[in-house]
Each structure stands twice: as structure tokens, then as C-alpha cells.
Amino acid sequence: MRYLVLTDIHANLPALEAVLEVASAEGYDRVLVLGDLVGYGADPNAVIDRVKALAPAAIIRGNHDKASSGLYSTDDFNAVARTAAMWTFNALSPENREFLTTLPAGPLQVTPRLEICHGTPFDEDAYVFDAADAIDALDAARGALCLFGHTHLPVVFSRSPTGFNVALPTGAISRITLEDGTRYLVNPGSVGQPRDGDARAAFAVCDEDASQVTFWRVPYRIDLAQEAILAAGLPAPLAARLAIGR
Ligand code: ZN
């Protein structure tokens, strides 16, 4: 089974379309969506419609999905994120707002070996930035492989009987092989708002049978996403940051 793993799309339709084009050409069986379909970007309805059409095998909510559908206060959002959440709430069709409110909270077990969450397996809104965070998350994970999002940073944390390791996927394509007896906490990176300094859209394909995760970076029409953000009246920094991947 090959899972296409999408997270943090953030209403960026040009990025999602570019990712799906490459992913379709490469081939996959099922789709996993790790939350934050909306927020920041200018195409929340089109992105939700596109995700619905993929009929994901598993999908969970992110903090922006909660905030943008009115499920969650934006008190801990910065001013730009709060403005975007309010804009998104008003832009969403009633059906799509309802869709976001029905998304389950992570973590969600996909197979005995594979689990997905937005932030961490113990708190859907917590961030995994450093080794201490990762060890807490690995302790809480139920399977050997836990996929997460939320930080928008592609990374592989792993813990084997011999130690703890951190690896950063780089380049257009990179691949890891999952070793028996090692537990993995993997972030594919963000489709719609990368923050690792690489502006290309990020996604991953997890091949459970081959025990491999392949990380992809895909160029997309950043200019179109930026134009849409500015035309929508969303804060200009949300357009500017796409070009630098921060
Ligand atoms: Zn996000």
C-alpha cells in the first residue's frame, strides 16, 4: 500500500495542484491528510473540494481548520493568522465550514504500524521542534511510524535500540528506509506554506510494504498563490513568505 501524505495545505490551490500532478504520475493507492487544509491561503473552498474528491483513507483536523470553522478561538494566534482565520471563516461555503467541523482530532491509527497526527500523538496542537519534543511524541506513538505536520518542517526523528537520530530530507527527492526495531516520527513538510527555506511544495509517499518513505519537493506557481492572497485582501506578508519558504 502506497500512501500519499499531504499536510498543511493552507488553502494554497496552485501548490496542491502541482503536488497532485506529480503524485499521480508517480502513483499511489490511498491518501492521508494530516490537517490544516485552510488558513493563510486564498482558496479554501477549492482546496477542500479537491481534498474531498481525493476521498482520503484518513483525514484529521489541524488548528487552522478548527479556528477557521469557528470551533476554536484564535486567542493564541498571531495577528496575521487571526486575520486569515476570520477571512477564511467568512469565505467558506456553509458546506465546507461544516465539513471542517466534522474532521476528527488526531491521532488516528491507519494500520497497526502507521499512525497520523497533526501536532503530536498526545496533543493535536502541540509542536515537535526539538529532540525533547520528538522523544515525548515517540513515547506516545502507538505504531512504529507516526506521521505528523503542524511545524511545516520536513524531518525524520528516529529511535532505535542504539540511539536517537534526526535527519532532514533535502533536494527534490529523498528517501528513507524504515528499519525493523526502530520507531519513526516523520513530517513530510507543508504543501502550501513551506518554512524550511525551500519554497517548493512538500509532500511524501509512504510505501508500507517496501518500508520506505519518499520525500518530494515540487515547484509550483507561487506567483498565482501570491496574487490570489493579495486580491483577497489577506495580509501581504502571507504572500511574501511563500517566495522564501519561511
Ligand atoms: Zn499548518
Side-chain angles (χ1 to χ4, degrees), residues 20-46:
L20 293 177
E21 197 178 321
V22 171
S24 297
E26 290 301 313
Y28 59 86
D29 303 304
R30 291 185 177 176
V31 179
L32 307 176
V33 181
L34 278 49
D36 278 4
L37 283 69
V38 303
Y40 299 136
D43 290 303
N45 288 303

Side-chain angles (χ1 to χ4, degrees), residues 7-10 35-40 62-64 118 127 149-152 190 193 195:
T7 189
D8 299 282
I9 304 166
H10 283 292
D36 278 4
L37 283 69
V38 303
Y40 299 136
N63 52 321
H64 285 262
H118 185 65
Y127 289 89
H150 200 28
T151 62
H152 300 204
S190 167
Q193 196 196 72
R195 294 180 188 162

Side-chain angles (χ1 to χ4, degrees), residues 32-228:
L32 307 176
V33 181
L34 278 49
D36 278 4
L37 283 69
V38 303
Y40 299 136
D43 290 303
N45 288 303
V47 162
I48 292 172
D49 291 342
R50 203 79 175 79
V51 168
K52 283 178 180 169
L54 294 171
I59 178 169
I60 52 176
R61 66 190 188 183
N63 52 321
H64 285 262
D65 302 321
K66 288 192 287 183
S68 302
S69 60
L71 271 184
Y72 183 69
S73 93
T74 55
D75 291 349
D76 61 347
F77 276 33
N78 63 42
V80 167
R82 189 179 309 127
T83 300
M86 288 165 59
W87 179 91
T88 304
F89 180 86
N90 290 315
L92 284 169
S93 68
E95 298 75 30
N96 284 337
R97 200 182 299 140
E98 166 76 13
F99 174 76
L100 292 181
T101 64
T102 62
L103 293 178
L108 205 62
Q109 193 117 27
V110 180
T111 69
R113 188 183 185 194
L114 173 62
E115 182 178 40
I116 61 172
C117 61
H118 185 65
T120 74
F122 58 85
D123 180 344
E124 62 177 336
D125 296 328
Y127 289 89
V128 174
F129 279 122
D130 58 22
D133 299 335
I135 287 168
D136 288 344
L138 283 163
D139 282 343
R142 287 169 289 188
L145 174 60
C146 179
L147 302 171
F148 74 105
H150 200 28
T151 62
H152 300 204
L153 301 170
V155 65
V156 178
F157 297 104
S158 59
R159 189 165 60 179
S160 70
T162 54
F164 175 80
N165 195 47
V166 186
L168 300 177
T170 54
I173 305 175
S174 61
R175 180 169 291 147
I176 59 163
T177 299
L178 307 173
E179 308 287 344
D180 285 343
T182 299
R183 294 166 69 81
Y184 294 88
L185 183 68
V186 172
N187 190 328
S190 167
V191 172
Q193 196 196 72
R195 294 180 188 162
D196 63 340
D198 184 338
R200 294 176 294 182
F203 74 97
V205 173
C206 174
D207 187 330
E208 229 195 352
D209 307 317
S211 292
Q212 286 183 329
V213 181
T214 306
F215 299 84
W216 291 82
R217 298 309 283 260
V218 179
Y220 73 98
R221 289 290 302 273
I222 293 173
D223 59 322
L224 295 182
Q226 291 177 314
E227 279 170 22

